[in-house]
Each structure stands twice: as structure tokens, then as C-alpha cells.
Amino acid sequence: MASTNTPRPFKVLGIQQVAIGGTDKQRMKTLWVDMLGLEQTGTFQSERENVDEDILAMGQGAFKVEVDIMQPLDIDKKPAVHTTPLNHIGLWIDDLAAAVEWLTAQGVRFAPGGVRKGAAGYDICFLHPKSNDEFPIAGEGVLIELVQAPQDVIAALG
């Protein structure tokens, strides 16, 4: 178990997103938009991340939660966003830089790519789903995205 001799310098504020992968984004839109009534607020494509994504939303303001529906640009390439239907969960973080530094020091494994701009324009990074000898703490099979919360979310949820 990790030593937590230093106080945690960040706070998880709430769920920012749930990302769902599949081979046919249109079929997912039929459920999430046409049947359940979520609003499409954006799209995102990245060859590097092999993703064609629609960003859907429920709720308003700081309480808005994204449902990102994703299909691969190339079904034969990695990452294979469609092979895990519940692809990842995103968490609002009040201080992403402090979180990454502290979690790394505690032995948490991060996925490659570091902190970068995500599909919705916020700084993001991912906790690796699998631990290793160097970093014994990970998502235990779940990919977890840490998302830098904007000031209105920090004010509302912090």
C-alpha cells in the first residue's frame, strides 16, 4: 500500500464524463440522443488516438456530465476504442498538475501521453488500467481520465 505521508494536494470534484466505445457511433447516437434525449455539444477526431467521437451532454453548467460516444477511425489500429464498451470514466480534478505529481510519488501508474488538451478542450491525462512493478497502483482494469476542472466547476463542486 502506498505511503500517504504528505497531504493530498488536490480534490476529485465529481464525474466529468463517461466514454463509451463501439464500432458504429450512429447506433449509439440513436440510443443516447434520439431515445434518451442527450444533446450533442461537439465532435472530436484524432488519428493519434484513433478516435471519431461525438460529445453528448446531460445537465447544465458545472453539473453537466458528458457522455462521449466513440468509434475507431481505423478498426485495425490501436488504441482500439471500441473493444471496451465502457471505455473510460473522467473525473473533475481541482488541480491536475498537483494531482499528477502527488499520485506519481505515491506509485500510481499513468498511461503514456502525459498531460494534454482533451476532446472538450480541458487539460487531461489518464491513469493506466494496469499496474507494474515500478508503479503498483493503477485502475485495476479501468482507464481513468483526470480532467482539470474550470473555475466555475471548482466553485460549484469544490
Side-chain angles (χ1 to χ4, degrees), residues 42-98:
T43 59
F44 177 74
Q45 284 193 351
S46 169
E47 286 188 31
R48 187 183 108 178
E49 298 189 25
N50 190 34
V51 68
D52 176 8
E53 176 177 333
D54 285 345
I55 302 167
L56 313 178
M58 63 179 119
Q60 299 294 322
F63 300 100
K64 180 175 76 175
V65 175
E66 288 181 13
V67 175
D68 296 349
I69 54 175
M70 308 181 306
Q71 69 183 33
L73 289 170
D74 184 336
I75 203 155
D76 297 319
K77 289 189 176 175
K78 301 282 183 191
V81 300
H82 62 293
T83 60
T84 307
L86 179 55
N87 187 275
H88 65 272
I89 187 167
L91 303 175
W92 284 126
I93 303 294
D94 66 344
D95 187 339
L96 184 60

Side-chain angles (χ1 to χ4, degrees), residues 6 9-10 95-108 110 115 125:
T6 59
F10 66 93
D95 187 339
L96 184 60
V100 170
E101 182 179 346
W102 190 82
L103 290 168
T104 301
Q106 304 309 311
V108 174
F110 283 85
V115 174
C125 64

Side-chain angles (χ1 to χ4, degrees), residues 103-134:
L103 290 168
T104 301
Q106 304 309 311
V108 174
R109 184 177 183 198
F110 283 85
V115 174
R116 58 196 181 273
K117 286 280 183 227
Y122 305 111
D123 284 348
I124 58 113
C125 64
F126 289 91
L127 301 185
H128 203 286
K130 296 179 183 173
S131 62
N132 62 19
D133 290 340
E134 185 180 0

Side-chain angles (χ1 to χ4, degrees), residues 10-18 61-66 89-95 122 144-150 152-158:
F10 66 93
K11 208 163 137 184
V12 175
L13 302 172
I15 293 178
Q16 185 268 335
Q17 70 173 262
V18 175
F63 300 100
K64 180 175 76 175
V65 175
E66 288 181 13
I89 187 167
L91 303 175
W92 284 126
I93 303 294
D94 66 344
D95 187 339
Y122 305 111
I144 301 167
E145 183 175 7
L146 302 183
V147 183
Q148 175 61 58
D152 64 328
V153 172
I154 294 170
L157 302 178

